[in-house]
Amino acid sequence: MKNLKLSTLYLIAVSVLFLVAGIVLVSLVNSSMRRQALDEAESKARIILDRNLATHTYFTHQLKPSVFDLAGNPKSEVPFDPVWMSSTYAVREIDKYFQDLSAADYYYKECAINARSPENEADAYERDFILEMNQNPDLVRQSSIRTIDKDRYFQVLRKSETMEQTCLPCHSRPELAPEGLVEAYGPLRSFGREAGEVVSAISIRIPLEEAYAEANTFSWKLSALLLLLLATLYGLLIGIHKRLVGTPLTVLRNQVTGITENPNLLGSRVNLPAALELRDLAEQFNSMSKGLKESMDYLEDQVQERTTELQNANQQLEQEIQEKSQAEAALIKERDRLRETLEQVRTLKGLIPICANCKKIRDDQGYWNQLESYLRRHSEAEFSHGICPECE
């Protein structure tokens, strides 16, 4: 990552951002559609429930009273006929017609434990709900998503009938039941009830697989549309980035590289891009280039001045060395001359014994020598004889 270009990093960042945004958006849409499918399932369950409860109400308040009035017999003496006396029977039979007419796999059952009709017998899940309602009076409704035979359903369970005192003749003991009821259902089913007992629940199942499949299909279509849209936006962003940032930055880089690689161009100015950030960067570089040029010129002046000073000092030093060399040579010459003089002249020092009469000199061995012989041995002087005026 350290050696990647800014444009490459930008492309990677934008790609990751678009990808994450697309995944999140599709996930949110899919989740929303699944939530909508649940809401629609609950709405359908409410419609089915209200429709069947309306049927029960119709039987209770209109059909059965009218039939009893037409029969002209007391209610207790009317023979039992589930076709018009049992709203539960009517709802079950109407639901069969509905299932034949509808392609939807809706499920509706007014279930009970030991139901009068085996078709209304509660399964294990419904049985647990009915038992729990008898234990918990506050429990009225329960909903969940169930998987049955690998298919998912939205299931709603709702409290239905609570045994009332007026219902006990048909549900307490077989001998108290209306004529024909025991013959139709037998003496065991739905007897032994007690007042206040919750005896049944309404169970509704709405299939979710189709709704979920539609949600997934819509999500895939939306994903394809989003990918196309994101690809278009991605291309636009890349083009805009290249036009506004990439190309101006490349031009700026080439100009800066040319100035930095050629010392003669130091102090030159680069062109100012249109983008404010790049313009500020270019102005900062121009200021730096100008400052470096001024510093370089100042350093060159200082170097030239110092070089001149060193050259002058060197010339002066060479002159002093030459003068000292000449003086030294003169001294050496004088020394040689003096040495030569000293070699030519040997000085006799100390007390020299000399005869007061004949002027002979006594040497260290005690011998008396002529003056000329002594000086000749002890110096480089030579004698030439003559007669002074006085002796003449």
Side-chain angles (χ1 to χ4, degrees):
M1 294 293 287
K2 294 182 179 180
N3 298 325
L4 295 179
K5 295 181 179 180
L6 179 61
S7 58
T8 304
L9 292 175
Y10 175 78
L11 293 179
I12 294 175
V14 171
S15 301
V16 172
L17 180 62
F18 271 68
L19 180 61
V20 172
I23 293 174
V24 171
L25 184 57
V26 171
S27 300
L28 289 177
V29 170
N30 186 267
S31 176
S32 176
M33 292 194 65
R34 286 173 175 263
R35 180 68 260 176
Q36 183 179 354
L38 289 178
D39 293 340
E40 291 179 356
E42 188 169 6
S43 177
K44 292 175 182 178
R46 169 59 62 183
I47 293 173
I48 294 173
L49 175 63
D50 292 344
R51 179 67 178 80
N52 290 328
L53 289 179
T55 302
H56 282 287
T57 303
Y58 169 75
F59 265 72
T60 302
H61 295 287
Q62 296 188 39
L63 181 61
K64 289 197 289 186
S66 297
V67 173
F68 283 131
D69 291 341
L70 290 174
N73 296 326
K75 185 183 300 185
S76 60
E77 296 180 4
V78 176
F80 176 78
D81 186 355
V83 173
W84 64 270
M85 292 184 70
S86 174
S87 59
T88 302
Y89 174 87
V91 168
R92 185 174 66 245
E93 293 302 313
I94 292 172
D95 185 66
K96 291 179 181 178
Y97 288 115
F98 175 76
Q99 294 293 340
D100 291 337
L101 294 174
S102 175
D105 187 18
Y106 295 129
Y107 172 95
Y108 179 88
K109 183 168 70 173
E110 296 180 4
C111 55
I113 300 174
N114 191 26
R116 180 138 287 165
S117 172
E119 296 182 46
N120 293 97
E121 187 64 32
D123 62 18
Y125 184 77
E126 297 162 343
R127 181 187 181 91
D128 292 340
F129 178 71
I130 294 172
L131 294 175
E132 189 175 355
M133 282 194 298
N134 284 286
Q135 298 293 328
N136 181 13
D138 296 330
L139 181 60
V140 177
R141 184 180 182 277
Q142 175 179 297
S143 62
S144 62
I145 298 177
R146 294 182 64 192
T147 301
I148 302 174
D149 295 332
K150 298 182 180 180
D151 292 331
R152 285 168 290 186
Y153 295 87
F154 176 74
Q155 180 150 7
V156 179
L157 293 173
R158 187 182 182 277
K159 183 178 180 180
S160 181
E161 292 181 309
T162 300
M163 188 59 60
E164 298 180 0
Q165 194 68 34
T166 57
C167 300
L168 289 179
C170 295
H171 295 279
S172 58
R173 292 181 297 175
E175 57 269 21
L176 299 178
E179 182 182 352
L181 189 148
V182 175
E183 286 77 2
Y185 295 106
L188 299 177
R189 303 192 69 85
S190 196
F191 287 108
R193 309 291 193 190
E194 298 179 358
E197 178 186 359
V198 179
V199 295
S200 66
I202 298 174
S203 178
I204 303 174
R205 287 203 299 259
I206 307 297
L208 292 176
E209 286 300 324
E210 184 177 353
Y212 281 175
E214 291 178 356
N216 292 335
T217 301
F218 181 80
S219 297
W220 282 114
K221 292 181 179 178
L222 179 62
S223 299
L225 180 62
L226 285 176
L227 287 176
L228 180 61
L229 179 61
L230 291 178
T232 303
L233 292 176
Y234 181 79
L236 291 175
L237 282 177
I238 297 305
I240 293 173
H241 176 268
K242 183 177 181 180
R243 181 177 180 84
L244 297 181
V245 179
T247 301
L249 191 60
T250 301
V251 173
L252 180 61
R253 182 192 62 188
N254 293 336
Q255 291 178 347
V256 170
T257 302
I259 293 175
T260 55
E261 291 180 352
N262 188 352
N264 296 328
L265 296 178
L266 189 61
S268 302
R269 295 176 57 85
V270 299
N271 298 327
L272 299 179
L276 180 61
E277 293 81 358
L278 295 179
R279 178 182 291 269
D280 293 339
L281 181 63
E283 289 179 348
Q284 292 296 325
F285 176 80
N286 289 336
S287 298
M288 181 182 68
S289 178
K290 180 181 178 182
L292 288 175
K293 177 62 176 176
E294 293 176 352
S295 299
M296 185 66 70
D297 293 341
Y298 174 77
L299 290 175
E300 288 180 354
D301 293 341
Q302 292 292 315
V303 169
Q304 184 63 36
E305 182 179 351
R306 185 59 178 167
T307 301
T308 302
E309 292 178 357
L310 291 175
Q311 289 176 347
N312 295 334
N314 185 55
Q315 291 177 357
Q316 184 176 359
L317 181 60
E318 289 180 353
Q319 184 177 358
E320 292 178 355
I321 292 174
Q322 185 177 4
E323 291 177 353
K324 288 182 179 180
S325 298
Q326 293 175 354
E328 184 178 356
L331 290 175
I332 292 174
K333 185 176 181 180
E334 182 65 21
R335 182 197 63 186
D336 293 340
R337 188 183 64 79
L338 291 175
R339 180 176 298 171
E340 184 180 355
T341 303
L342 288 175
E343 289 178 355
Q344 293 176 356
V345 178
R346 297 179 61 184
T347 304
L348 299 176
K349 296 181 179 180
L351 294 175
I352 299 174
I354 188 171
C355 176
N357 182 32
C358 66
K359 307 301 180 184
K360 288 183 178 180
I361 297 174
R362 188 183 61 195
D363 58 17
D364 294 336
Q365 286 76 24
Y367 296 103
W368 292 91
N369 299 284
Q370 290 291 334
L371 177 60
E372 296 90 339
S373 298
Y374 185 84
L375 290 176
R376 189 180 291 114
R377 285 196 306 268
H378 291 86
S379 70
E380 296 179 356
E382 293 291 338
F383 293 91
S384 62
H385 291 86
I387 298 174
C388 69
E390 292 180 359
C391 291
E392 283 182 343

